[in-house]
Amino acid sequence: MGQTMEPTAPAPHTPPDAERLRRWRMVLGADSADSTGCGLTGQDAAMDGALNALYGGGAGKTSGDRGSGGRSAGLGASAPSVARWLGDIRTYFPSSVVQVMQRDAIDRLGLAALLLEPEMLEAVEADVHLVGTLLSLGKAMPETTKETARAVVRKVVDDLEKRLESRTRATLTGALDRSARISRPRHRDIDWNRTIRANLKNYLTLPAPDGTATTATTGTVVPERLIGYGRSSRSAKKDIVLCVDQSGSMAASVVYASVFGAVLASMRTLSTRLVVFDTAVVDLTDQLDDPVDVLFGTRLGGGTDINRALAYCQSRITRPADTVVVLISDLYEGGIRDEMLKRVAAMKASGVQFVTLLALSDEGASAYDHEHAAALGALGAPAFACTPDLFPDVMAAAIEKRPLPIPDKEAQP
């Protein structure tokens, strides 16, 4: 792995050639020590050792061993060694790099089991991927760790809500207001500003009342189309159904979907349902007031039966023309493919706005079933990956029944 940190600033008297060698040694890692002839000391050696412990080859000294030659690879199998290493990387690297290194340590070195220990959870940098890993551990988590794990998940969820809630509410409130406007309003309900803008093409120039050529002419707008304010109502204007694949590959999407589900459920103009599925279907709508409860109600892993999940969602739709169904899945269907497609076609024919997201995460869709994605696209339900920042715009477009803002690189398969 290339090292993304800023090297320690050289002393004023360091020769330029020596500084270049030092930089190359930091970039190339411990294997280049002989070829560069450059040894590392101080913080350079500590940073290099932390990286080499994860990305180097072979076992050796652990995080606590510092020397002029740095440290050789290997975190060891003990929790204290890993805890020291976690502390080191948080000292020497920015948060974004720490999260990547933690993720790699879990994947490359099989450290997931150590996350079952409370002291490990207290040492890690919490992020969406860590939450996904904790959820995947599921029932294996001992009681002594559950409260610590819940606190870690709570911190991540709270941070996500702060980041996403205000824009989501503002974007969707505007979309709901626009979708609620009426085209045949009573006189007192006419929105004159929007009515005039909508009819500017009908502007007519008329002669002055006395018919003289010297008198200035006047103009008028002919309001062929009236636009009215949407009548306020305490009932929901739109029904939202989030249908989320909880297979292991969708961990980050499950986290974001739970947060967005809680935000949508807090808007009284929306009626929000959250359904998660693998080969079974679980309705978590009654837990939407707390996304942490939602997350601990999921069980990452297992198979996938999209058709069964859509059948459940379809049975809960009572106002098709006012319903948006969002399927979040990589589309690796283990159920009946043709039935799945027929259900989507039937929902769209009834007036449901159907959205297919291959992933709801910052990383996009790492893998998905291209054949199923193409089939959904042919039905008018294009499948694409969506970032959390784009999700409010996607939902606003679906609510207003206008084309979805599909990212250029994620065009229809």
Side-chain angles (χ1 to χ4, degrees):
M1 170 183 168
Q3 299 181 17
T4 56
M5 66 291 180
E6 286 292 331
T8 306
H13 61 274
T14 303
D17 289 344
E19 172 58 18
R20 280 195 292 271
L21 285 175
R22 187 186 72 88
R23 288 173 177 268
W24 275 114
R25 170 63 181 79
M26 291 291 290
V27 169
L28 297 175
D31 292 341
S32 69
D34 293 337
S35 59
T36 60
C38 179
L40 299 176
T41 59
Q43 183 169 314
D44 285 348
M47 295 170 74
D48 182 69
L51 286 163
N52 197 42
L54 175 58
Y55 300 108
K61 290 175 285 185
T62 57
S63 174
D65 303 317
R66 291 187 176 88
S68 60
R71 291 163 291 180
S72 57
L75 293 177
S78 68
S81 295
V82 178
R84 285 196 299 270
W85 180 78
L86 288 169
D88 283 353
I89 64 173
R90 294 178 73 173
T91 299
Y92 302 129
F93 302 97
S95 177
S96 58
V97 176
V98 169
Q99 291 171 8
V100 172
M101 294 179 72
Q102 286 179 171
R103 205 176 313 157
D104 288 346
I106 292 170
D107 293 340
R108 293 164 63 100
L109 303 178
L111 299 182
L114 289 178
L115 294 178
L116 299 178
E117 302 182 24
E119 60 269 23
M120 285 295 97
L121 286 178
E122 293 171 357
V124 295
E125 186 84 20
D127 69 343
V128 169
H129 298 280
L130 177 64
V131 171
T133 300
L134 292 176
L135 297 178
S136 68
L137 295 174
K139 295 180 180 179
M141 189 175 295
E143 290 297 327
T144 55
T145 305
K146 285 184 177 178
E147 285 305 312
T148 306
R150 195 174 184 87
V152 170
V153 173
R154 171 68 65 190
K155 178 181 184 301
V156 173
V157 166
D158 288 347
D159 289 345
L160 289 177
E161 282 191 303
K162 289 176 185 177
R163 167 189 159 193
L164 301 171
E165 181 175 15
S166 59
R167 182 169 178 272
T168 300
R169 293 180 68 89
T171 301
L172 296 192
T173 298
L176 288 163
D177 288 345
R178 290 188 293 272
S179 68
R181 290 176 193 145
I182 51 181
S183 58
R184 299 182 64 183
R186 293 172 294 182
H187 185 271
R188 67 183 181 184
D189 292 331
I190 296 174
D191 184 338
W192 287 108
N193 289 332
R194 292 191 175 92
T195 294
I196 291 172
R197 284 199 296 271
N199 289 278
L200 286 176
K201 63 181 180 180
N202 304 320
Y203 183 85
L204 296 179
T205 301
L206 302 176
D210 60 6
T212 62
T214 57
T215 304
T217 58
T218 59
T220 187
V221 173
V222 179
E224 291 182 354
R225 182 166 70 94
L226 298 176
I227 299 176
Y229 295 105
R231 297 189 181 96
S232 61
S233 172
R234 300 186 67 85
S235 61
K237 298 176 183 177
K238 294 289 181 180
D239 296 337
I240 307 295
V241 180
L242 299 178
C243 186
V244 186
D245 183 345
Q246 60 175 350
S247 57
S249 60
M250 301 296 293
S253 298
V254 171
V255 176
Y256 280 115
S258 299
V259 173
F260 276 118
V263 173
L264 298 178
S266 70
M267 300 176 65
R268 70 178 187 182
T269 48
L270 293 176
S271 174
T272 303
R273 182 179 296 275
L274 177 64
V275 176
V276 298
F277 67 92
D278 43 31
T279 53
V281 179
V282 181
D283 193 326
L284 297 176
T285 303
D286 61 350
Q287 299 179 37
L288 275 175
D289 58 332
D290 188 346
V292 175
D293 286 341
V294 170
L295 288 170
F296 278 95
T298 63
R299 53 176 191 180
L300 294 177
T304 307
D305 193 338
I306 303 172
N307 177 55
R308 186 174 184 179
L310 291 181
Y312 176 84
C313 295
Q314 189 177 24
S315 70
R316 296 300 186 269
I317 295 174
T318 58
R319 304 189 303 161
D322 293 316
T323 298
V324 178
V325 174
V326 183
L327 171 64
I328 305 175
S329 173
D330 54 16
L331 302 179
Y332 286 113
E333 172 65 318
I336 306 173
R337 174 186 185 274
D338 291 342
E339 287 296 317
M340 175 190 75
L341 296 175
K342 286 179 182 178
R343 290 193 191 281
V344 175
M347 281 189 273
K348 286 189 63 64
S350 69
V352 171
Q353 294 296 109
F354 196 93
V355 179
T356 309
L357 301 182
L358 300 170
L360 178 56
S361 68
D362 291 304
E363 289 75 25
S366 56
Y368 62 93
D369 190 305
H370 291 258
E371 183 179 349
H372 288 161
L376 287 171
L379 294 175
F384 58 98
C386 178
T387 64
D389 290 335
L390 181 63
F391 184 75
D393 297 321
V394 170
M395 292 302 300
I399 286 171
E400 295 183 69
K401 300 184 178 181
R402 53 183 173 82
L404 301 177
I406 301 175
D408 292 340
K409 293 183 180 179
E410 296 287 350
Q412 297 183 38

